Amino acid sequence: MEVTFEHASSHAKMATLRIEKDESIHVLHPNQIVAFQGKSEQREDSLMKLPSMYRKKRLIQSRVYGPAQLMLGLPEGYSMSVVPIGEEDDLLYEFRHVLFYTGGVSFTSHLQNVKNTLITQDLVKMQFKGPGTLGLLTAGPLYQMALDPKQPLYVDIHCLIAYPRNAVLRLCVYGNTLASQHMNYHWEMTGQGHVLLQPCKPDRKLDEHMKNDSLLRRIAREVLPFGGIFIK
């Protein structure tokens, strides 16, 4: 399978997938298919299995057989990254970020503990086995960062896309008292291998701070009790 982006950039709003004969892909967000070139019978839609329905908040998935070509539209503010999956791949992924995977890729689920589930609002992680390819939909380009067995890496829970199955994770905040009171939960991570991160996330406070508010209004919103609610 060949993947190209408009203007040869993964920041483009359109990705073209060329599927060769004897190849196939599973598209987990069929509404993002904006154009298809091939025979009608080469696309088969089916109901997702119940666990996938729960995790993806979707009912339908599509399977497209080659030779064919389709174009996937990317939502505003999102990027698509293509990740090769090997037979010994041990990364656990956030399933909601998976846009497609190629035929030959299988996956298994791994349950989180109750505490992590309540905080992350995600019951399971998914481990994929290849050989094949995974298409990920992320807020901004996908980045890779190495783990260290002793030096912890702190990652915002909303920015972590995938991590090694044997990594050691602990939910935490860090920094001094003021810092820990004004941050999202982070994963404190140690181990071998690397993690995949998205650099952006929805942040209403950042949007507000980028507006041309007066200094006094911004200080009052941060300092006064319930200032963020009453001071608009």
Side-chain angles (χ1 to χ4, degrees):
M1 184 188 69
E2 179 184 356
V3 180
T4 58
F5 296 95
E6 183 182 350
H7 305 308
S9 168
S10 61
H11 299 279
K13 300 305 176 188
M14 197 77 70
T16 301
L17 280 61
R18 293 180 177 86
I19 310 165
E20 301 297 332
K21 186 178 180 180
D22 299 326
E23 290 183 336
S24 65
I25 67 166
H26 300 261
V27 182
L28 303 186
H29 293 269
N31 287 342
Q32 302 310 126
I33 300 176
V34 299
F36 167 76
Q37 189 173 42
K39 297 179 180 180
S40 177
E41 59 268 22
Q42 288 176 251
R43 172 173 171 172
E44 296 180 357
D45 283 18
S46 61
L47 288 173
M48 287 186 174
K49 295 180 180 180
L50 286 176
S52 297
M53 286 184 187
Y54 170 77
R55 292 189 289 270
K56 296 293 291 184
K57 306 298 189 291
R58 295 286 190 277
L59 295 176
I60 303 295
Q61 67 179 27
S62 297
R63 186 174 188 179
V64 179
Y65 298 88
Q69 178 173 299
L70 66 144
M71 300 185 75
L72 297 177
L74 307 181
E76 182 67 29
Y78 284 82
S79 299
M80 191 188 87
S81 300
V82 179
V83 179
I85 301 295
E87 295 181 0
E88 303 300 324
D89 200 294
D90 70 337
L91 291 182
L92 300 181
Y93 288 81
E94 295 276 2
F95 197 54
R96 62 177 175 268
H97 290 281
V98 179
L99 177 58
F100 69 83
Y101 60 91
T102 58
V105 172
S106 61
F107 55 88
T108 55
S109 58
H110 295 267
L111 293 175
Q112 294 199 95
N113 61 41
V114 175
K115 179 182 177 181
N116 290 1
T117 297
L118 291 175
I119 292 176
T120 64
Q121 300 297 303
D122 199 354
L123 178 63
V124 299
K125 305 294 182 183
M126 305 302 296
Q127 182 177 359
F128 292 86
K129 294 288 188 179
T133 302
L134 206 61
L136 299 176
L137 198 60
T138 56
L142 192 68
Y143 289 93
Q144 178 177 300
M145 195 166 184
L147 289 177
D148 186 273
K150 296 182 179 180
Q151 183 67 35
L153 173 67
Y154 298 95
V155 181
D156 191 305
I157 61 172
H158 298 299
C159 294
L160 184 63
I161 303 298
Y163 59 89
R165 179 180 178 180
N166 293 322
V168 179
L169 285 77
R170 184 177 71 88
L171 281 168
C172 69
V173 292
Y174 65 94
N176 62 8
T177 302
L178 186 60
S180 62
Q181 288 177 347
H182 291 270
M183 67 169 59
N184 295 322
Y185 275 105
H186 281 59
W187 292 112
E188 179 185 283
M189 309 178 67
T190 55
Q192 302 282 350
H194 63 273
V195 299
L196 300 180
L197 310 170
Q198 63 177 2
C200 307
K201 59 181 180 177
D203 191 339
R204 182 177 56 83
K205 289 186 176 182
L206 178 61
D207 293 338
E208 292 175 353
H209 290 175
M210 293 299 290
K211 296 177 181 178
N212 191 23
D213 275 352
S214 67
L215 177 61
L216 181 61
R217 182 182 293 271
R218 293 199 302 269
I219 293 175
R221 187 183 292 121
E222 292 291 335
V223 174
L224 295 178
F226 305 106
I229 298 175
F230 297 111
I231 302 176
K232 302 298 183 181

